[in-house]
Amino acid sequence: MYRVLIIDDEEPLREAIRILGDWKNLGVEEILEATNGKDGLALLEQHRIDLVMVDMKMPEMDGVRFLQIIERDYPDLFAIVISGYNDFEYTRQAIHAKVVDYLLKPVNRADLNEALGKAIGVLAAKRKTQSEFITKNITLNMSLPKLKEKIYLSIIERSFKKHTNEAFLPLIGADDAGGRFGAVVLRILNLEQILAGRFNGDIGLLHFAVANVIGDMAGDS
């Protein structure tokens, strides 16, 4: 069972998340709430939290500062960012912390439960096994997309060890023995021009955006 902390200064949003989340099927036994990052940290000191959902713009302590603190003080804690501001600065901070998904307001039921499912999947895999793969990749500030990338590459390179990393297979839909996968090689011809423009030279942010676009296209196929 899991305990989730929702941090947002807007009470209607916190209530919406409570209503829309498929908590029972996800194995969430308790949901705590805070109105800002400062109060959220106080709850982290008092309770064992498995997953935190945090808004970016709040009084007292915003989401950016909160993520910086939990990255330092709570290295095993995962987060889902919820923001009404589609701002690259917020996104940049989110992907540099241990964030498993980034949702924009207004949050809908499908996106919310997809994000929660990803997070719970990682938590379940981590509880199931304490393999070297988990220790090196999850605990060292790796988000779910990076984790999935590592798994894909290890399978392509034939270095994946099923007996030690089997718990991760459901995260990428590879737990079905009859499943089939394809590989895509993408080359960005005007990479320097793109980086110098909208992405302000941040290659990590570009990779994040490209991976999201490809993921959306693959999901619709």
Side-chain angles (χ1 to χ4, degrees):
M1 304 298 285
Y2 305 95
R3 184 178 287 115
V4 174
L5 171 60
I6 303 171
I7 307 176
D8 195 294
D9 60 317
E10 299 178 22
E11 193 276 334
L13 178 66
R14 300 197 307 273
E15 182 178 1
I17 292 174
R18 276 185 171 272
I19 294 172
L20 296 176
D22 191 11
W23 307 110
K24 183 177 180 180
N25 289 333
L26 290 168
V28 175
E29 63 178 351
E30 186 176 4
I31 305 170
L32 303 176
E33 297 183 15
T35 57
N36 57 67
K38 184 177 179 180
D39 291 344
L41 290 176
L43 287 175
L44 286 178
E45 294 179 358
Q46 301 169 20
H47 304 274
R48 182 186 178 279
I49 305 296
D50 299 292
L51 173 67
V52 60
M53 306 184 70
V54 58
D55 187 21
M56 285 286 95
K57 191 174 181 62
M58 299 178 293
E60 296 290 332
M61 179 187 293
D62 64 14
V64 173
R65 180 56 182 156
F66 177 83
L67 289 175
Q68 292 171 343
I69 292 175
I70 66 169
E71 181 181 2
R72 181 194 68 201
D73 297 341
Y74 298 91
D76 293 326
L77 181 63
F78 291 94
I80 294 175
V81 164
I82 304 174
S83 177
Y85 298 80
N86 192 5
D87 186 291
F88 279 134
E89 289 303 318
Y90 287 141
T91 307
R92 180 179 291 111
Q93 178 60 39
I95 64 175
H96 287 176
K98 195 174 299 180
V99 171
V100 293
D101 215 329
Y102 186 93
L103 302 176
L104 291 177
K105 298 177 184 179
V107 176
N108 62 59
R109 186 187 301 272
D111 289 343
L112 172 63
N113 286 299
E114 181 181 1
L116 289 171
K118 291 178 183 178
I120 296 300
V122 174
L123 288 167
K126 185 178 179 182
R127 286 186 179 184
K128 185 175 181 180
T129 176
Q130 292 298 323
S131 69
E132 181 181 357
F133 188 85
I134 296 177
T135 302
K136 288 185 177 180
N137 293 294
I138 291 185
T139 59
L140 291 180
N141 198 25
M142 177 170 284
S143 64
L144 181 62
K146 279 294 183 181
L147 174 61
K148 292 175 70 174
E149 179 182 330
K150 275 287 187 179
I151 297 175
Y152 286 134
L153 289 175
S154 68
I155 292 175
I156 293 173
E157 297 169 352
R158 299 186 178 183
S159 61
F160 183 81
K161 298 179 180 179
K162 184 176 180 180
H163 67 283
T164 57
N165 299 311
E166 189 172 8
F168 288 107
L169 295 181
L171 299 180
I172 62 171
D175 50 332
D176 181 2
R180 295 291 182 269
F181 292 83
V184 175
V185 177
L186 176 66
R187 182 182 181 187
I188 302 177
L189 298 178
N190 55 339
L191 177 61
E192 293 184 0
Q193 180 180 352
I194 293 176
L195 277 177
R198 190 177 185 187
F199 294 92
N200 298 319
D202 192 328
I203 188 69
L205 188 58
L206 174 60
H207 288 168
F208 176 82
V210 171
N212 276 348
V213 171
I214 294 176
D216 289 343
M217 294 174 62
D220 294 337
S221 62

